[in-house]
């Protein structure tokens, strides 16, 4: 009888131990969502792009990508307070999705064939064009004027390589981890131009501290269709996000976000692209 009691106690202790271990395991899945019931979702954005994705001094976030991501998250069932913003720089976006660091990414993420091999896209939700930002008194008027000039862009972006490969192969390319560094280099004279999407450049040019210093060259060097990046194979989330984007456009919320974020820079945006039309 004494042996039976010991066995029962030992079995009970083992069950309790296993239960405690299970409770101590991670409540996070590998998709950027929290399965613990706390209702959090991790969303990737840029932190250094005025007008698109910017972390402000008070710790809040603002920009068109932020507004789009907030709307999409809302349609997925998350309140703004349930969103955890994660900085995803250009060179690390594919890895962040593959690792499950975020559920989706809205970070001026241009859709192209190479990226579609690694991630899935919802959208597109904005058509931008590659352009140049130069000083107000610059004589650079076309992309070929960059030959022999110092050009800045961000590591992992398609813009700089487009210039080097097809337009101005003799441009001296400088790559930084963020656009803020490129803008600082342009302001100091270390570079002659910054290249990326016109939407990004317009956001910087519109900042109070830069007003009157820079101008857009007004070139349309490429078509950049911004998509929302999702982990490869997660077709269910892609479908849900496309539905959310369609509602954002039809409700007028998309146009409101465009005017709010790009209006101060007098940015001439293209009409909303067809959602679900994943272009090459």
């Amino acid at each position: 009888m004494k042996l039976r009691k010991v066995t029962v106690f030992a079995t009970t202790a083992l069950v309790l131990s296993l239960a405690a271990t299970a409770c101590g395991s991670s409540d996070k899945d590998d998709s950027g969502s929290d399965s613990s019931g706390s209702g959090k979702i991790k969303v990737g954005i840029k932190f250094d792009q005025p007008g698109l994705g910017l972390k402000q001094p008070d710790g809040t976030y603002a920009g068109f990508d932020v507004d789009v991501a907030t709307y999409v998250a809302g349609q997925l069932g998350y309140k703004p307070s349930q969103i955890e913003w994660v900085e995803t720089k250009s060179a690390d976006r594919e890895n962040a999705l593959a690792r499950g660091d975020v559920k989706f990414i809205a970070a001026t993420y241009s859709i192209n064939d190479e990226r579609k091999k690694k991630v899935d896209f919802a959208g597109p939700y904005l058509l931008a064009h590659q352009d140049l930002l130069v000083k107000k008194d610059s004589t650079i008027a076309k992309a070929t004027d960059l030959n022999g000039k110092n050009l800045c862009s961000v590591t992992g972006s398609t813009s700089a390589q487009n210039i080097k490969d097809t337009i101005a192969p003799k441009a001296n390319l400088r790559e930084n981890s963020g656009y803020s560094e490129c803008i600082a280099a342009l302001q100091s004279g270390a570079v002659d131009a910054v290249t990326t999407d016109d939407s990004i450049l317009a956001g910087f040019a519109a900042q109070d501290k830069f007003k009157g210093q820079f101008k857009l060259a007004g070139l349309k060097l490429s078509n950049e269709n911004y998509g929302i990046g999702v982990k490869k194979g997660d077709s269910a989330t892609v479908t849900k996000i496309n539905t959310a984007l369609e509602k954002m456009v039809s409700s007028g919320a998309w146009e409101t976000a465009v005017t709010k974020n790009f209006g101060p820079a007098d940015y001439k945006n293209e009409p909303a692209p067809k959602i679900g039309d994943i272009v090459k």
Side-chain angles (χ1 to χ4, degrees), residues 28-268:
K28 302 284 184 181
D29 60 26
D30 63 353
S31 63
S33 295
D34 189 336
S35 59
S36 67
S38 60
K40 292 288 187 179
I41 185 171
K42 292 184 177 182
V43 178
I45 57 170
K46 296 290 183 65
F47 278 17
D48 65 344
Q49 291 181 356
L52 286 150
L54 182 68
K55 184 175 182 179
Q56 302 184 106
D58 63 359
T60 60
Y61 301 87
F64 182 69
D65 283 346
V66 174
D67 288 346
V68 169
T70 301
Y71 189 95
V72 167
Q75 293 299 303
L76 296 180
Y78 297 91
K79 298 176 182 178
S81 61
Q82 294 175 296
I83 300 172
E84 182 178 339
W85 301 108
V86 178
E87 183 176 23
T88 48
K89 295 187 176 181
S90 296
D92 194 47
R93 288 177 297 205
E94 287 83 20
N95 291 331
L97 287 169
R99 291 191 302 259
D101 294 347
V102 293
K103 183 67 173 177
F104 63 83
I105 293 176
T108 60
Y109 206 175
S110 297
I111 301 167
N112 62 39
D113 285 345
E114 190 61 32
R115 288 170 178 165
K116 287 194 295 186
K117 294 176 183 177
K118 302 174 183 178
V119 303
D120 287 337
F121 284 100
Y125 64 92
L126 182 73
L127 173 58
H129 302 286
Q130 184 180 351
D131 202 353
L132 302 176
L133 187 68
V134 296
K135 283 192 171 181
K136 200 74 171 180
D137 59 355
S138 174
T139 59
I140 295 174
K142 54 186 184 299
T144 52
D145 291 340
L146 291 171
N147 282 312
K149 302 289 187 179
N150 296 318
L151 172 68
C152 191
S153 194
V154 168
T155 304
S157 72
T158 58
S159 300
Q161 212 55 51
N162 183 39
I163 295 284
K164 287 286 290 181
D165 289 347
T166 65
I167 301 173
K170 294 183 180 179
N172 303 313
L173 178 61
R174 169 175 171 176
E175 294 182 285
N176 285 319
S177 61
Y179 290 108
S180 294
E181 293 91 332
C182 281
I183 301 300
L186 179 62
Q187 187 178 36
S188 69
V191 300
D192 301 292
V194 178
T195 186
T196 187
D197 306 344
D198 52 8
S199 56
I200 297 173
L201 298 175
F204 278 105
Q207 284 189 293
D208 288 338
K209 61 182 178 181
F210 295 135
K211 279 185 178 178
Q213 296 185 42
F214 307 131
K215 65 181 179 181
L216 286 167
L219 309 179
K220 293 186 177 182
L221 302 176
S222 68
N223 293 328
E224 304 296 334
N225 285 277
Y226 290 173
I228 293 183
V230 176
K231 188 173 184 178
K232 191 68 177 176
D234 191 359
S235 57
T237 297
V238 169
T239 299
K240 290 177 183 178
I241 293 177
N242 278 337
T243 299
L245 290 173
E246 288 171 352
K247 185 174 181 180
M248 186 177 188
V249 172
S250 64
S251 68
W254 183 90
E255 189 64 41
T256 298
V258 168
T259 302
K260 167 190 168 186
N261 292 291
F262 300 131
D266 197 28
Y267 173 68
K268 303 299 189 295

